[in-house]
Amino acid sequence: QLGNTTKMELEELVRDLRPEHTILLFGAGSSIPSNAPTVQAIIDHLSARFSLTSAGFSLSEFTELVEQRSKDRRRMITDVRSLFKGIKPTAGLLNLPLYAWKSIYTTNYDDLIEQAYKKKGKQLGVFTSNFDFGNSPRNADTRLFKIHGTIEKDPSFGDISRMILTESDYNNAIDYR
């Protein structure tokens, strides 16, 4: 339902949609068909690797606990990265480059959207923090904003930008997003 009075059928929405005027927003569920881990799978993996109970914690709370107890963010990031090894885009993600979207936003860390664009030979401007604005190709077909960072960049590996995993990450990233 749009507003208080107009009801739009899905078919009508699809018919009237103009990609060049459309901004897409993807969350964790969009990567699951491509075998990316669920939030619970990440929590369970870290719980086992760091021998900590995760009951009742959100991902940001639990990763904060892991980082504080272990004092080893690099190990935590390495363990999270291991869950994303070898995933490939499937289904609808492969069709994204077929349209000239105004822009795409995602909270996902993975590089599935980037892989889909590369596979189709389309330029994608990727922004993971304010530091990327001067480094992205100006002729990109679409701009991708990774608002929780990317699996490839984290200060524990010498990068300026970070994956937003912990409660502290949310607070620290405010200056760079």
Side-chain angles (χ1 to χ4, degrees), residues 35-37 42 45-46 49-50 73-87 109-111 149-163 165:
N35 296 316
I42 295 170
H45 177 78
L46 292 175
R49 296 285 289 153
F50 288 87
R73 180 178 178 88
R74 186 180 180 109
R75 179 177 163 216
M76 179 179 68
I77 296 297
T78 299
D79 279 321
V80 170
R81 285 178 173 176
S82 73
L83 297 172
F84 290 86
K85 292 273 190 228
I87 62 172
Y109 310 120
D110 61 63
D111 68 345
T150 186
I151 199 82
E152 296 93 11
K153 295 181 183 177
D154 193 78
S156 61
F157 287 87
D159 299 300
I160 295 172
S161 62
R162 68 179 49 240
M163 290 176 61
L165 275 174

Coordinates of all heavy atoms in Angstrom, one line a residue, residues 35-37 42 45-46 49-50 73-87 109-111 149-163 165:
N35 N 24.8 -18.8 -1.3 CA 25.5 -19.5 -0.2 C 26.4 -18.7 0.7 O 27.3 -19.2 1.3 CB 26.4 -20.6 -0.9 CG 25.6 -21.7 -1.5 OD1 24.6 -22.1 -1.0 ND2 25.9 -22.1 -2.7
A36 N 26.0 -17.4 0.8 CA 26.7 -16.6 1.8 C 26.1 -17.0 3.2 O 25.0 -17.5 3.3 CB 26.4 -15.1 1.6
P37 N 26.9 -16.9 4.2 CA 26.4 -17.3 5.6 C 25.3 -16.4 6.1 O 25.3 -15.2 5.8 CB 27.7 -17.2 6.4 CG 28.5 -16.2 5.8 CD 28.3 -16.3 4.3
I42 N 27.3 -16.9 11.1 CA 28.5 -16.2 11.5 C 28.7 -16.2 13.0 O 29.8 -16.5 13.6 CB 28.5 -14.7 11.0 CG1 28.5 -14.7 9.5 CG2 29.6 -13.9 11.6 CD1 28.2 -13.3 8.9
H45 N 29.7 -19.8 14.1 CA 31.1 -20.0 13.8 C 32.1 -19.4 14.8 O 33.0 -20.0 15.3 CB 31.4 -19.6 12.3 CG 32.8 -19.7 11.9 ND1 33.3 -20.9 11.5 CD2 33.8 -18.8 11.8 CE1 34.6 -20.8 11.2 NE2 34.9 -19.5 11.3
L46 N 31.8 -18.1 15.0 CA 32.7 -17.4 16.0 C 32.6 -17.9 17.4 O 33.6 -18.0 18.1 CB 32.4 -15.9 15.9 CG 32.7 -15.1 14.6 CD1 32.2 -13.7 14.7 CD2 34.2 -15.2 14.3
R49 N 34.8 -21.0 17.4 CA 36.2 -20.7 17.2 C 36.8 -20.0 18.4 O 38.0 -20.2 18.7 CB 36.4 -19.8 16.0 CG 36.0 -20.5 14.7 CD 37.0 -21.5 14.2 NE 38.2 -20.8 13.8 CZ 39.4 -21.3 13.8 NH1 39.6 -22.5 14.2 NH2 40.4 -20.6 13.4
F50 N 36.0 -19.2 19.1 CA 36.5 -18.4 20.3 C 36.0 -19.0 21.6 O 36.3 -18.4 22.6 CB 36.1 -16.9 20.1 CG 36.9 -16.2 19.1 CD1 36.5 -16.2 17.7 CD2 38.1 -15.6 19.4 CE1 37.2 -15.6 16.8 CE2 38.9 -14.9 18.4 CZ 38.4 -14.9 17.1
R73 N 41.3 -8.7 16.9 CA 40.3 -8.4 15.8 C 40.8 -9.1 14.5 O 39.9 -9.6 13.7 CB 40.2 -6.9 15.6 CG 39.2 -6.5 14.5 CD 39.1 -5.0 14.3 NE 38.2 -4.7 13.2 CZ 36.9 -4.6 13.3 NH1 36.3 -4.7 14.5 NH2 36.1 -4.3 12.3
R74 N 42.0 -9.1 14.2 CA 42.5 -9.7 13.0 C 42.1 -11.1 12.9 O 41.6 -11.6 11.8 CB 44.0 -9.5 12.9 CG 44.6 -10.0 11.6 CD 46.1 -9.8 11.6 NE 46.7 -10.3 10.3 CZ 47.2 -9.5 9.4 NH1 47.2 -8.2 9.6 NH2 47.7 -10.0 8.3
R75 N 42.2 -11.9 13.9 CA 41.8 -13.3 13.9 C 40.3 -13.4 13.7 O 39.8 -14.2 12.9 CB 42.2 -14.0 15.2 CG 41.7 -15.4 15.3 CD 42.2 -16.1 16.6 NE 41.4 -17.3 16.8 CZ 41.0 -17.8 17.9 NH1 41.3 -17.2 19.0 NH2 40.3 -18.9 18.0
M76 N 39.5 -12.5 14.4 CA 38.0 -12.5 14.2 C 37.7 -12.2 12.7 O 36.8 -12.9 12.1 CB 37.4 -11.5 15.1 CG 35.9 -11.4 14.9 SD 35.1 -10.3 16.1 CE 35.6 -8.7 15.4
I77 N 38.3 -11.2 12.1 CA 38.0 -10.9 10.7 C 38.4 -12.0 9.8 O 37.7 -12.4 8.9 CB 38.7 -9.5 10.3 CG1 38.2 -8.4 11.2 CG2 38.6 -9.3 8.9 CD1 36.7 -8.0 11.0
T78 N 39.5 -12.6 10.1 CA 40.0 -13.8 9.3 C 39.0 -14.9 9.3 O 38.6 -15.5 8.3 CB 41.4 -14.3 9.8 OG1 42.3 -13.2 9.6 CG2 41.8 -15.5 9.0
D79 N 38.4 -15.2 10.5 CA 37.4 -16.2 10.7 C 36.1 -15.8 9.9 O 35.5 -16.7 9.3 CB 37.1 -16.5 12.1 CG 38.2 -17.4 12.8 OD1 38.6 -18.3 12.1 OD2 38.6 -17.2 13.9
V80 N 35.7 -14.6 10.0 CA 34.5 -14.2 9.3 C 34.8 -14.3 7.8 O 33.9 -14.8 7.0 CB 34.1 -12.7 9.6 CG1 33.0 -12.2 8.7 CG2 33.6 -12.7 11.1
R81 N 35.9 -13.8 7.3 CA 36.3 -13.9 5.9 C 36.2 -15.4 5.4 O 35.8 -15.6 4.2 CB 37.6 -13.3 5.6 CG 37.7 -11.9 5.6 CD 39.1 -11.3 5.4 NE 39.1 -9.9 5.3 CZ 40.2 -9.2 5.2 NH1 41.4 -9.8 5.2 NH2 40.2 -7.9 5.1
S82 N 36.6 -16.3 6.2 CA 36.7 -17.7 5.8 C 35.3 -18.2 5.4 O 35.2 -19.1 4.6 CB 37.3 -18.6 6.9 OG 36.4 -18.8 8.0
L83 N 34.3 -17.7 6.0 CA 32.9 -18.1 5.7 C 32.4 -17.7 4.3 O 31.4 -18.2 3.8 CB 31.9 -17.6 6.8 CG 32.2 -18.1 8.2 CD1 31.3 -17.3 9.2 CD2 31.9 -19.6 8.3
F84 N 33.1 -16.7 3.8 CA 32.7 -16.1 2.5 C 33.5 -16.6 1.3 O 33.3 -16.2 0.2 CB 32.7 -14.6 2.5 CG 31.7 -14.0 3.4 CD1 31.9 -13.8 4.8 CD2 30.5 -13.6 2.9 CE1 30.9 -13.3 5.6 CE2 29.5 -13.0 3.7 CZ 29.7 -12.9 5.1
K85 N 34.5 -17.5 1.6 CA 35.4 -18.0 0.5 C 34.6 -18.8 -0.5 O 33.8 -19.6 -0.2 CB 36.4 -18.9 1.1 CG 37.4 -18.2 2.0 CD 38.6 -17.7 1.2 CE 39.7 -17.2 2.1 NZ 40.2 -15.9 1.8
G86 N 34.8 -18.5 -1.8 CA 34.3 -19.3 -2.8 C 32.8 -19.1 -3.2 O 32.3 -19.8 -4.0
I87 N 32.1 -18.1 -2.6 CA 30.7 -17.9 -2.9 C 30.7 -17.2 -4.3 O 31.5 -16.4 -4.6 CB 29.9 -17.2 -1.8 CG1 30.5 -15.8 -1.6 CG2 29.9 -18.0 -0.5 CD1 29.6 -14.9 -0.6
Y109 N 28.7 -7.7 3.5 CA 30.1 -7.6 3.4 C 30.7 -8.2 2.1 O 31.8 -7.9 1.7 CB 30.8 -8.3 4.6 CG 30.3 -7.9 5.9 CD1 29.8 -8.9 6.7 CD2 30.4 -6.6 6.4 CE1 29.3 -8.6 8.0 CE2 29.9 -6.3 7.6 CZ 29.4 -7.2 8.4 OH 28.9 -6.9 9.7
D110 N 29.9 -9.2 1.6 CA 30.4 -10.0 0.5 C 30.6 -9.2 -0.8 O 30.2 -8.0 -0.9 CB 29.5 -11.2 0.2 CG 28.1 -10.7 -0.2 OD1 27.9 -10.0 -1.2 OD2 27.1 -11.0 0.6
D111 N 31.2 -9.8 -1.8 CA 31.5 -9.2 -3.1 C 30.6 -9.8 -4.2 O 31.0 -9.7 -5.4 CB 33.0 -9.2 -3.4 CG 33.5 -10.6 -3.7 OD1 32.7 -11.6 -3.4 OD2 34.6 -10.8 -4.3
G149 N 30.7 -1.7 5.1 CA 32.0 -2.0 4.7 C 32.0 -3.2 3.8 O 31.0 -3.7 3.3
T150 N 33.2 -3.8 3.6 CA 33.4 -4.9 2.7 C 34.4 -5.9 3.3 O 35.3 -5.5 4.1 CB 33.9 -4.4 1.3 OG1 34.0 -5.5 0.4 CG2 35.3 -3.7 1.4
I151 N 34.2 -7.1 2.9 CA 35.0 -8.2 3.4 C 36.5 -8.0 3.1 O 37.3 -8.5 3.9 CB 34.5 -9.6 2.8 CG1 35.0 -10.8 3.6 CG2 34.9 -9.7 1.4 CD1 34.1 -11.0 4.8
E152 N 36.8 -7.2 2.1 CA 38.2 -7.1 1.7 C 39.0 -6.0 2.5 O 40.2 -5.9 2.4 CB 38.3 -6.7 0.2 CG 37.8 -7.7 -0.7 CD 36.3 -7.5 -1.1 OE1 35.8 -6.4 -0.7 OE2 35.8 -8.4 -1.7
K153 N 38.3 -5.2 3.3 CA 38.9 -4.1 4.0 C 38.6 -4.0 5.5 O 37.5 -4.1 5.9 CB 38.5 -2.7 3.4 CG 38.9 -2.5 1.9 CD 38.4 -1.2 1.4 CE 38.7 -1.0 0.0 NZ 38.2 0.3 -0.5
D154 N 39.7 -3.9 6.3 CA 39.6 -3.7 7.7 C 40.9 -3.2 8.3 O 41.9 -3.6 7.8 CB 39.2 -5.0 8.4 CG 38.7 -4.8 9.8 OD1 37.6 -4.4 10.0 OD2 39.5 -5.0 10.7
P155 N 40.8 -2.3 9.3 CA 42.0 -1.8 9.9 C 43.0 -2.8 10.4 O 44.2 -2.6 10.5 CB 41.5 -0.9 11.0 CG 40.1 -0.6 10.6 CD 39.6 -1.7 9.8
S156 N 42.4 -4.0 10.8 CA 43.3 -5.0 11.3 C 44.2 -5.6 10.3 O 45.2 -6.3 10.6 CB 42.4 -6.2 11.9 OG 41.6 -6.8 11.0
F157 N 44.0 -5.2 9.0 CA 44.9 -5.6 7.9 C 45.5 -4.4 7.3 O 46.0 -4.5 6.1 CB 44.1 -6.4 6.9 CG 43.8 -7.8 7.3 CD1 42.6 -8.1 8.1 CD2 44.7 -8.9 7.1 CE1 42.4 -9.4 8.5 CE2 44.4 -10.1 7.5 CZ 43.2 -10.4 8.2
G158 N 45.5 -3.2 7.9 CA 46.1 -2.0 7.5 C 45.3 -1.1 6.6 O 45.8 -0.2 6.1
D159 N 44.0 -1.4 6.4 CA 43.1 -0.6 5.6 C 42.6 0.6 6.4 O 42.5 0.5 7.7 CB 41.9 -1.4 5.1 CG 42.4 -2.5 4.2 OD1 43.0 -2.3 3.2 OD2 42.1 -3.7 4.6
I160 N 42.2 1.7 5.7 CA 41.6 2.8 6.4 C 40.1 2.5 6.8 O 39.7 2.8 7.9 CB 41.6 4.1 5.5 CG1 43.1 4.4 5.3 CG2 40.9 5.2 6.1 CD1 43.2 5.5 4.2
S161 N 39.4 1.9 5.9 CA 38.0 1.6 6.2 C 37.8 0.3 6.9 O 38.8 -0.5 6.9 CB 37.1 1.7 4.9 OG 37.5 0.7 4.0
R162 N 36.7 0.0 7.4 CA 36.5 -1.2 8.3 C 35.2 -1.9 8.0 O 34.2 -1.3 7.5 CB 36.5 -0.8 9.7 CG 35.4 0.0 10.3 CD 35.4 0.3 11.8 NE 36.7 0.8 12.2 CZ 37.5 0.2 13.1 NH1 37.1 -0.8 13.7 NH2 38.7 0.7 13.4
M163 N 35.1 -3.2 8.2 CA 33.9 -3.9 8.3 C 33.1 -3.5 9.5 O 33.8 -3.3 10.6 CB 34.1 -5.4 8.4 CG 34.7 -6.0 7.1 SD 35.1 -7.8 7.3 CE 33.4 -8.4 7.7
L165 N 31.2 -4.6 12.2 CA 30.8 -5.9 12.9 C 30.4 -5.6 14.3 O 29.3 -6.1 14.8 CB 31.9 -6.9 12.9 CG 32.1 -7.7 11.7 CD1 33.4 -8.5 11.8 CD2 31.0 -8.7 11.5

